[in-house]
Amino acid sequence: MLQIGIVIYDDAEVLDFAGPYEVFATAARLCDTPPWRVSLISEHRNVMARGGFTLQSHFTFDEHPALDVLLVSGGVHTSAMENPVLLKALSEAGNGARWVTSVCTGAFLLAEAGLLADQRVTTHWEDIADLRRRFPALDVQENSRWVEDGNRLTSAGISAGIDMSLHLVEKLHSRKLAEDTARQMDYAWQQ
């Protein structure tokens, strides 16, 4: 069974992790034999996401299983960019993962952790210029819902993370499962 880990942190954008989580959980539920397990991972079990949304992750960085898919949520990432524990955990998990992905400003964290070097990437439209400035070797794409470059997959903001996650369901399993998942979620998938 594949392991999909979604990394969250204080001030993570709720739909940046909840949207992809729902995609992967719904897709697994639609299968006779679930092809993966999805979990939330953070430095500490308790996290206060953006807007004061409090939640508890499934695993801490010290105890999560080896990941096949690493997904880093976006949000107010400035403190996270300066967190050596978070960056080390991302680097370690990402180096062993089959897919390394992000939603919105999660791309900043992947780049800071050394998991993005010169790939084509995207982020939320509001953060395009800052991503280019901070990481000039990246080929930052505008006007893209998501960008795939090798085994790196980055998306623009919030709902684009759902689109990217449906694309990843297609890559990991099948187009039919991705379409069935979007239909089950009553979501208009922008491919």
Side-chain angles (χ1 to χ4, degrees), residues 87-190:
L87 297 174
K88 180 177 184 245
L90 292 180
S91 179
E92 288 173 355
N95 283 325
R98 190 166 136 193
W99 285 93
V100 175
T101 70
S102 65
V103 178
C104 192
T105 56
F108 284 81
L109 297 173
L110 289 180
E112 189 69 21
L115 295 169
L116 296 175
D118 58 0
Q119 286 85 5
R120 289 182 310 111
V121 299
T122 196
T123 190
H124 188 274
W125 61 266
E126 195 173 43
D127 299 292
I128 294 279
D130 191 32
L131 187 61
R132 283 183 176 142
R133 182 185 59 75
R134 287 192 69 132
F135 303 99
L138 293 177
D139 182 3
V140 182
Q141 306 289 300
E142 292 185 62
N143 304 314
S144 296
R145 299 286 291 164
W146 49 266
V147 172
E148 180 179 343
D149 190 341
N151 71 339
R152 299 315 198 237
L153 194 53
T154 55
S155 73
I158 302 181
S159 64
I162 296 172
D163 293 332
M164 177 194 75
S165 297
L166 287 164
H167 173 71
L168 196 50
V169 166
E170 178 180 13
K171 297 290 250 183
L172 294 171
H173 191 278
S174 66
R175 178 152 188 102
K176 181 177 184 331
L177 182 58
E179 290 172 344
D180 289 350
T181 301
R183 179 166 166 64
Q184 180 66 33
M185 292 174 60
D186 207 5
Y187 181 77
W189 181 18
Q190 296 183 47

Side-chain angles (χ1 to χ4, degrees), residues 12 30 34 36 76 80 82 93 125 135:
L30 293 176
W36 49 70
V76 182
E82 298 172 359
W125 61 266
F135 303 99

Side-chain angles (χ1 to χ4, degrees), residues 25-113:
T26 299
R29 194 175 71 237
L30 293 176
C31 295
D32 291 334
T33 303
W36 49 70
R37 180 175 295 133
V38 61
S39 57
L40 298 175
I41 302 169
S42 57
E43 182 176 0
H44 307 287
R45 273 296 168 98
N46 296 315
V47 175
M48 184 174 291
R50 200 148 187 205
F53 186 92
T54 57
L55 70 151
Q56 189 174 62
S57 64
H58 298 96
F59 299 105
T60 64
F61 295 148
D62 294 330
E63 61 188 15
H64 71 81
L67 300 179
D68 298 286
V69 177
L70 168 66
L71 187 149
V72 180
S73 61
V76 182
H77 60 286
T78 47
S79 294
M81 294 263 300
E82 298 172 359
N83 180 341
V85 174
L86 170 64
L87 297 174
K88 180 177 184 245
L90 292 180
S91 179
E92 288 173 355
N95 283 325
R98 190 166 136 193
W99 285 93
V100 175
T101 70
S102 65
V103 178
C104 192
T105 56
F108 284 81
L109 297 173
L110 289 180
E112 189 69 21

Side-chain angles (χ1 to χ4, degrees), residues 8-14 17 47-55:
I8 57 175
Y9 47 89
D10 286 341
D11 284 325
E13 186 70 51
V14 175
F17 62 84
V47 175
M48 184 174 291
R50 200 148 187 205
F53 186 92
T54 57
L55 70 151

